[in-house]
Amino acid sequence: MKYASQKVAYWFFASAILLLSLQIVYGFIMGFAHLGYDGWHSVIPFNTARAVHTNLLVVWILLGFMGSAYYIIPEEAQHELVSVKLAYIQLISFLAVGVTAIVGYHLNYWEGRKFLEIPRPLDWLVVINVLTFLGIILATLYKGKKRTTTSLVMTMGLVFAALLYLPGMIWFDNQTMDSFFRWWVVHLWVEGVWELIMGGILAFLLIKLTGVDREVIEKWLYVIVGLTFLSGILGTGHHYYYIGVGKIWLIVGGIFSMLEPLAFLAMALFAVGMYRKGEKKHPNKLALYWTLGTAILSFVGAGLLGMAHTLPQVNMYTHGTLVTAMHGHLAFWGAYGMIVFSFITFAMPNLTGRKLYDTAIGQLAYWLTNVGMIGMTIAFGVAGVAQVYLERKVGLEFGAVQQEIEVHFFILILTASMFATGILLFIYEFFRFGKPNNEAIGIEE
Amino acid sequence: MLSKSQARTFFLGGTIVTFAIFLGLSWNSLSNDVPKQTNPQNLTDQVIRGKHLWESNNCMGCHTIFGEGAYYAPELTKVFERRGEGYMKAVLTSKQPWAPRGRKMVAYGFTDEEASDLIKFFKWIGEVDLNGFPPKPDVKR
């Protein structure tokens, strides 16, 4: 790396991991509430905790993507970001909107639509903010010397993500229409364009870490994002089974969402394959761990566990139960949480000049977070399957079933504590690197 | 072996074709299925006010309708049929926290008018044809 403007990425990463730790706090509030300890109810009722938990997730992942883009694009385009000042303004205003929204959720100010709870006036601020971000990225690419496939795929993902935010801002009187277009945002983000961003970041990391020829890696990047859209766009149908639209979606959604794991399988095979093929052994071992980890766990969490309940015959019973929470946790962590962590782990030594490539704390953070999250997924899965049978098959009343499955939330909190410890260690390591500086980047002052 | 430009063609071609099919199917759903399955003629002002209340209080943060939302409190798609108007009104207007089996709901203390808007919303929701969801329990005891 040799571009001074890449340093801005550091502040996006720092904000991202701090918001992640806040997200975990709200997760614990919900976990304890499920266990029967809802002491916070009068201040932070469950619906507040839930909105904060999921919105912080989206905000910190987006911050991670933006930070990665601010690092990757100058290097790929061989040109400084067109305006570093604007990038800082964009970060601060993004955080300000996020914090306002979260404070609002504590005051019953929201638009209670799952994942899109941000009230409409703030939506417009998000739009302006994201346009600023895209402006900086696109202008840099335009002025740059090179437009590589990696940077184009990533930018394409970011542009589409911004466009797809808009259908979520339309008011519908009809709940079916509301839900229909809400999934254009939520599904086409996480099972569509976010995978482009992830693929772009993964390709960049593999080029740097394995030393395999760019042409080979970028060819497979096309195959992966091709599989993503081929399956993911029509896979949206799995959200349309039971919302009041036709039965054609049972067939279309069923078939295409069964194909969705292929993109993640390709990503896993691709990452492991390139690692084996690569002759250069990059000293940043932890970054390699995270990169291979995200490729594999995203296949398990997003691919396999999604496939497990995506057929209409299964989904009829599992839809709207804790089975969804099982899939959701490992999917978001494995695919999007871990790719951001991979990039942070890769970028920090380059930004700061401290070569903490393979530390004991870094290793411990890696294993605690991943084993902890797999444990949480199992706890959710057991609770979810029990709920499906007792409530949907046997017909016990909701509350009675919740009491039966309460015990699994004890395991959830235990494994979540492991995960949280890992995150704290990761944050500790992050700050041990210190601040980014020009000397590390290799620029003469 | 596959070349880079073939891979790019696969990506662009696949994306354009599937997206075109997706738009076509969506158009069909919105123009044919929605009028047939959701009874839009019954979307009265009261139902719409109920939907506003449902959203502005983030009921989806605990409950689900059409199976969408959070998993802390019961599915409400068929709540009108299951509980009836009197029970629902009592819960919605209660100034004391409603806490069946110890799990608390925020005491919204809705007015009679707001409560009946919400009840009309749930009645409309319950009448939407959801291709068989929620399933009837089928294990014989």
Side-chain angles (χ1 to χ4, degrees):
Chain A
M1 66 183 291
K2 53 185 174 186
Y3 298 97
S5 55
Q6 285 175 298
K7 279 183 297 189
V8 70
Y10 172 88
W11 300 101
F12 280 81
F13 298 150
S15 316
I17 55 176
L18 289 179
L19 292 182
L20 163 63
S21 52
L22 196 61
Q23 184 204 349
I24 294 171
V25 172
Y26 283 83
F28 272 108
I29 292 175
M30 284 191 282
F32 277 108
H34 267 284
L35 201 55
Y37 300 98
D38 59 350
W40 288 89
H41 176 80
S42 55
V43 199
I44 306 173
F46 192 89
N47 59 350
T48 297
R50 159 73 183 225
V52 174
H53 185 71
T54 52
N55 280 258
L56 279 175
L57 166 72
V58 176
V59 170
W60 85 257
I61 297 280
L62 285 178
L63 282 171
F65 286 167
M66 287 170 174
S68 307
Y70 283 142
Y71 184 106
I72 291 175
I73 297 297
E75 198 153 320
E76 290 282 298
Q78 301 182 5
H79 193 284
E80 294 279 5
L81 291 174
V82 288
S83 170
V84 176
K85 204 192 216 173
L86 211 55
Y88 280 113
I89 294 174
Q90 188 250 322
L91 169 65
I92 292 164
S93 57
F94 194 73
L95 287 174
V97 173
V99 170
T100 313
I102 282 158
V103 172
Y105 298 163
H106 291 78
L107 307 170
N108 206 23
Y109 177 56
W110 42 26
E111 184 186 284
R113 300 158 69 230
K114 189 181 182 183
F115 303 124
L116 305 180
E117 286 89 349
I118 294 185
R120 199 57 47 86
L122 293 181
D123 274 340
W124 288 108
L125 293 177
V126 173
V127 170
I128 295 171
N129 192 280
V130 170
L131 286 178
T132 313
F133 164 74
L134 287 175
I136 298 170
I137 294 296
L138 291 172
T140 307
L141 265 182
Y142 180 74
K143 286 193 176 169
K145 288 198 195 87
K146 275 194 178 163
R147 274 158 232 160
T148 61
T149 301
T150 302
S151 63
L152 289 181
V153 166
M154 192 175 175
T155 308
M156 196 173 158
L158 293 163
V159 171
F160 282 159
L163 280 178
L164 284 168
Y165 191 68
L166 303 175
M169 290 171 58
I170 311 167
W171 165 267
F172 293 102
D173 291 338
N174 188 320
Q175 181 67 27
T176 297
M177 306 269 280
D178 193 306
S179 179
F180 196 91
F181 283 106
R182 197 170 55 81
W183 290 116
W184 279 38
V185 189
V186 179
H187 174 92
L188 290 177
W189 266 21
V190 301
E191 284 157 73
V193 296
W194 280 25
E195 282 180 57
L196 255 65
I197 304 171
M198 179 186 175
I201 299 177
L202 191 64
F204 181 85
L205 285 170
L206 289 172
I207 290 169
K208 299 287 166 183
L209 292 172
T210 67
V212 174
D213 184 47
R214 174 184 284 276
E215 286 300 301
V216 176
I217 288 186
E218 291 184 338
K219 177 175 84 184
W220 290 110
L221 176 61
Y222 272 134
V223 174
I224 288 168
V225 294
L227 286 171
T228 298
F229 275 167
L230 197 65
S231 59
I233 294 174
L234 287 168
T236 315
H238 65 206
H239 296 289
Y240 295 164
Y241 294 162
Y242 311 120
I243 64 164
V245 287
K247 288 202 167 102
I248 180 101
W249 292 109
L250 301 181
I251 299 164
V252 174
I255 292 171
F256 283 88
S257 63
M258 282 301 276
L259 298 176
E260 278 186 42
L262 283 180
F264 286 106
L265 178 64
M267 232 183 286
L269 293 175
F270 163 68
V272 174
M274 293 302 127
Y275 166 64
R276 291 220 171 127
K277 195 172 168 174
E279 282 167 10
K280 185 172 103 187
K281 284 282 167 266
H282 195 282
N284 195 340
K285 225 172 143 186
L286 276 172
L288 201 60
Y289 266 65
W290 281 105
T291 306
L292 294 178
T294 186
I296 292 165
L297 267 195
S298 64
F299 170 59
V300 177
L304 289 181
L305 291 181
M307 194 174 82
H309 64 131
T310 198
L311 279 180
Q313 298 88 324
V314 178
N315 196 251
M316 167 70 92
Y317 292 94
T318 58
H319 181 45
T321 66
L322 290 161
V323 169
T324 312
M326 160 199 72
H327 160 57
H329 278 77
L330 198 62
F332 271 101
W333 170 249
Y336 303 122
M338 284 180 78
I339 191 75
V340 170
F341 272 46
S342 306
F343 201 81
I344 295 177
T345 309
F346 165 76
M348 286 305 280
N350 305 344
L351 286 165
T352 63
R354 271 199 89 176
K355 305 207 177 330
L356 302 173
Y357 285 147
D358 188 15
T359 62
I361 297 175
Q363 287 278 352
L364 199 57
Y366 179 82
W367 291 108
L368 280 176
T369 48
N370 286 311
V371 176
M373 184 52 88
I374 291 168
M376 288 167 66
T377 306
I378 294 170
F380 271 123
V382 175
V385 171
Q387 181 191 8
V388 165
Y389 277 92
L390 291 175
E391 194 183 320
R392 298 274 168 89
K393 297 291 274 184
V394 177
L396 289 184
E397 196 250 336
F398 178 88
V401 175
Q402 291 294 310
Q403 281 180 332
E404 286 299 320
I405 62 176
E406 215 168 75
V407 61
H408 303 299
F409 283 86
F410 176 70
I411 306 296
L412 179 77
I413 285 172
L414 213 63
T415 47
S417 307
M418 240 174 112
F419 176 77
T421 311
I423 295 293
L424 285 179
L425 292 175
F426 188 90
I427 294 175
Y428 172 78
E429 278 291 274
F430 181 90
F431 288 107
R432 220 153 63 91
F433 275 105
K435 298 271 174 57
N437 55 73
N438 283 344
E439 196 194 333
I441 297 171
I443 302 165
E444 310 279 324
E445 303 261 355
Chain B
M1 198 47 194
L2 186 78
S3 72
K4 191 173 170 185
S5 71
Q6 285 170 323
R8 183 171 50 221
T9 312
F10 166 70
F11 165 57
L12 292 174
T15 303
I16 292 167
V17 170
T18 49
F19 195 64
I21 298 173
F22 178 68
L23 286 181
L25 286 171
S26 295
W27 180 258
N28 176 56
S29 279
L30 299 176
S31 51
N32 296 323
D33 303 343
V34 169
K36 249 183 262 161
Q37 291 180 236
T38 70
N39 314 303
Q41 71 281 4
N42 298 342
L43 279 171
T44 59
D45 290 347
Q46 248 193 321
V47 174
I48 294 165
R49 281 203 302 271
K51 182 172 183 279
H52 275 285
L53 284 169
W54 167 263
E55 287 185 9
S56 61
N57 291 292
N58 192 20
C59 306
M60 244 188 183
C62 296
H63 293 278
T64 45
I65 43 168
F66 298 173
E68 295 177 350
Y71 321 117
Y72 191 63
E75 225 304 319
L76 295 179
T77 306
K78 299 287 180 194
V79 68
F80 184 83
E81 183 186 312
R82 188 168 72 233
R83 295 296 195 194
E85 210 163 335
Y87 184 101
M88 289 168 77
K89 194 153 214 161
V91 174
L92 291 167
T93 54
S94 169
K95 296 216 168 33
Q96 304 298 318
W98 176 251
R101 295 177 197 260
R103 187 167 285 186
K104 291 193 200 87
M105 173 167 156
V106 175
Y108 287 102
F110 290 116
T111 64
D112 278 358
E113 202 196 340
E114 287 169 330
S116 66
D117 290 345
L118 271 166
I119 290 166
K120 286 284 178 325
F121 170 68
F122 287 123
K123 184 168 183 294
W124 177 83
I125 285 283
E127 286 165 358
V128 175
D129 173 4
L130 298 177
N131 299 336
F133 183 85
K136 299 255 179 300
D138 57 357
V139 172
K140 293 202 179 69
R141 272 183 284 183

